[in-house]
Amino acid sequence: MLLSTKWFMLFFLMFSCSFAFSQTSSDDLIVWMKKDAPDVWRSYFRSWNNTKVEYTEIITEKNTQIENNLCSMFLSYPCMEHQRLDNINHKERLVVFNRHYRFSLERKQGNEDWGIDYVEPIYDFLPSEKLDFPALFEKNNVSVELFIGNTFARGFMFSLGDWFPVIFNQPEFRILEVKEVVENNEKLIWIRYDYNPPQRSNQLLRGGEVFLMPNCFWLIKRADIRLLEPDGTMVNAIISCEYDFSSGAIPYLRSHSMFIKEYSCMFKRIFANYQIVENASIKNFTLSHYGFPEPNFDNSRRTSTNRVRNILMGLMTIIIIIALWRMIQRRRRKM
């Protein structure tokens, strides 16, 4: 009996020590991540200056193609050029930023002549060392940061318009469980989390699970997330990312996909042809480069211009980020 009691006590102590170690290990992982990841994320976000990339954007629902777009982006901060060719509707759109203003041009596919969609002044901009992931549904306008996040830093994107680094820093984000795992000799950090943000009409993301690569800028490798629709329905989506590590210090995103299980709907981008372009001419980011006269903004009208600009940019943001989701909802209701 005494021997049995000793073995029982030994087992109890071993179990207690193991449990305590596990708890400490999880706490250490959380402390490490909170200390290390935010600065690394910002570093990755700011590393794409003088970079050009092309990508294909394909959206399918139950094997039916809804969108097929060929895009390219060139960042030479504070200048930027983003071109999008809609192969289904046969439209081409160009969005350009320079130090003083931004503008958008549109034309039908095959047409050589551009038409001006809008021209808006830029009165101030952030220095490059302060660029960060956009809090999309709080600022609600189109910015260089939004295009960087949607393109070069899409490896951090969850639902349309939600970046994990932004969510991670919000008080409503709660880590429920965390552990280190090894897959194919690669160390990953697995996190199960809960997220209940303040009511925002267009923010869909709630809780889920995510696998991060701590040795590679804490990039997302894959995730299983929950999305709350405006009507209160909860749906599930799978995020998957592939990277190219051959370039050296900065991993290139090769593909980013989000598959919504309930609708068999896939949002996918495939990236190619990353190029470094130094000393780009500022003239390439102006209206005169496309054959239009340069704008002459009246500073006395700054307040009203800002108001109109915010409305236009807000509408454009909703069109880019939310319209696809709403279209899927309408199609689902008709079935």
Side-chain angles (χ1 to χ4, degrees):
M1 178 67 68
L2 183 60
L3 184 60
S4 299
T5 303
K6 287 181 178 180
W7 276 110
F8 173 79
M9 291 301 296
L10 180 61
F11 174 78
F12 177 78
L13 289 172
M14 291 176 63
F15 176 80
S16 299
C17 291
S18 174
F19 180 77
F21 176 78
S22 175
Q23 288 292 97
T24 303
S25 178
S26 296
D27 291 341
D28 287 345
L29 287 175
I30 294 173
V31 170
W32 173 37
M33 182 178 180
K34 288 185 175 181
K35 181 180 179 181
D36 186 61
D39 288 339
V40 173
W41 287 331
R42 283 189 287 269
S43 174
Y44 188 88
F45 187 86
R46 297 166 184 167
S47 65
W48 298 104
N49 200 21
N50 302 318
T51 305
K52 181 181 291 187
V53 68
E54 299 172 359
Y55 65 88
T56 303
E57 181 179 62
I58 300 173
I59 303 175
T60 58
E61 182 184 5
K62 296 181 179 178
N63 298 320
T64 300
Q65 195 170 89
I66 300 173
E67 292 279 335
N68 183 350
N69 308 312
L70 297 178
C71 306
S72 66
M73 178 169 167
F74 177 37
L75 177 66
S76 181
Y77 194 78
C79 301
M80 184 217 80
E81 177 188 273
H82 183 274
Q83 194 160 358
R84 179 176 183 265
L85 174 60
D86 183 341
N87 284 322
I88 291 180
N89 296 308
H90 308 293
K91 291 182 179 181
E92 194 170 359
R93 183 181 182 87
L94 185 69
V95 178
V96 182
F97 283 67
N98 59 48
R99 186 178 292 269
H100 303 292
Y101 62 91
R102 56 188 161 201
F103 61 93
S104 174
L105 307 178
E106 289 186 342
R107 66 183 178 186
K108 280 286 188 179
Q109 188 175 357
N111 192 341
E112 294 184 358
D113 297 325
W114 289 101
I116 295 178
D117 181 31
Y118 67 82
V119 182
E120 297 291 340
I122 297 176
Y123 294 104
D124 48 40
F125 54 87
L126 290 174
S128 58
E129 62 271 14
K130 290 188 177 181
L131 290 175
D132 208 343
F133 291 88
L136 179 61
F137 297 118
E138 293 176 0
K139 297 183 179 179
N140 204 32
N141 66 26
V142 174
S143 61
V144 173
E145 296 96 317
L146 177 60
F147 280 95
I148 296 173
N150 269 320
T151 305
F152 296 111
R154 200 175 181 87
F156 294 110
M157 181 176 279
F158 271 3
S159 63
L160 302 179
D162 283 309
W163 286 272
F164 185 74
V166 176
I167 294 160
F168 182 82
N169 285 323
Q170 293 182 357
E172 297 85 8
F173 180 87
R174 295 191 304 115
I175 296 178
L176 304 178
E177 191 176 358
V178 58
K179 63 183 177 181
E180 181 180 315
V181 298
V182 177
E183 294 182 357
N184 299 321
N185 297 320
E186 179 182 21
K187 181 168 74 173
L188 302 173
I189 302 299
W190 170 81
I191 294 174
R192 184 170 64 88
Y193 69 92
D194 191 29
Y195 180 60
N196 289 293
Q199 291 299 318
R200 298 179 183 133
S201 60
N202 293 323
Q203 190 169 29
L204 308 174
L205 184 67
R206 292 304 181 263
E209 302 178 0
V210 59
F211 287 85
L212 303 170
M213 300 185 289
N215 296 328
C216 297
F217 292 88
W218 291 91
L219 287 163
I220 294 171
K221 184 165 188 178
R222 65 180 185 275
D224 197 330
I225 63 176
R226 299 193 303 275
L227 304 172
L228 182 64
E229 296 183 311
D231 64 0
T233 303
M234 192 76 74
V235 298
N236 298 278
I238 297 174
I239 304 291
S240 180
C241 300
E242 295 183 5
Y243 302 92
D244 182 354
F245 300 98
S246 63
S247 60
I250 306 296
Y252 290 161
L253 182 63
R254 291 172 55 192
S255 70
H256 176 280
S257 64
M258 180 176 74
F259 179 72
I260 303 174
K261 300 177 183 178
E262 283 77 4
Y263 311 141
S264 297
C265 180
M266 174 73 80
F267 298 78
K268 186 166 187 176
R269 284 190 179 182
I270 302 171
F271 296 82
N273 299 327
Y274 286 88
Q275 302 176 46
I276 303 298
V277 181
E278 301 282 359
N279 303 318
S281 173
I282 296 177
K283 293 181 179 179
N284 294 339
F285 302 92
T286 62
L287 278 168
S288 57
H289 177 72
Y290 295 93
F292 297 99
E294 288 298 300
N296 182 18
F297 298 109
D298 181 0
N299 288 334
S300 65
R301 300 173 60 190
R302 175 172 177 170
T303 301
S304 60
T305 301
N306 279 341
R307 187 180 300 113
V308 173
R309 179 190 64 196
N310 289 336
I311 293 172
L312 290 174
M313 295 301 103
L315 290 173
M316 181 179 173
T317 300
I318 294 173
I319 290 172
I320 294 173
I321 305 300
I322 302 301
L324 296 174
W325 182 271
R326 301 295 172 98
M327 179 174 60
I328 291 170
Q329 298 300 315
R330 290 195 298 268
R331 288 167 60 89
R332 183 171 64 93
R333 284 193 291 268
K334 290 179 181 179
M335 296 177 60

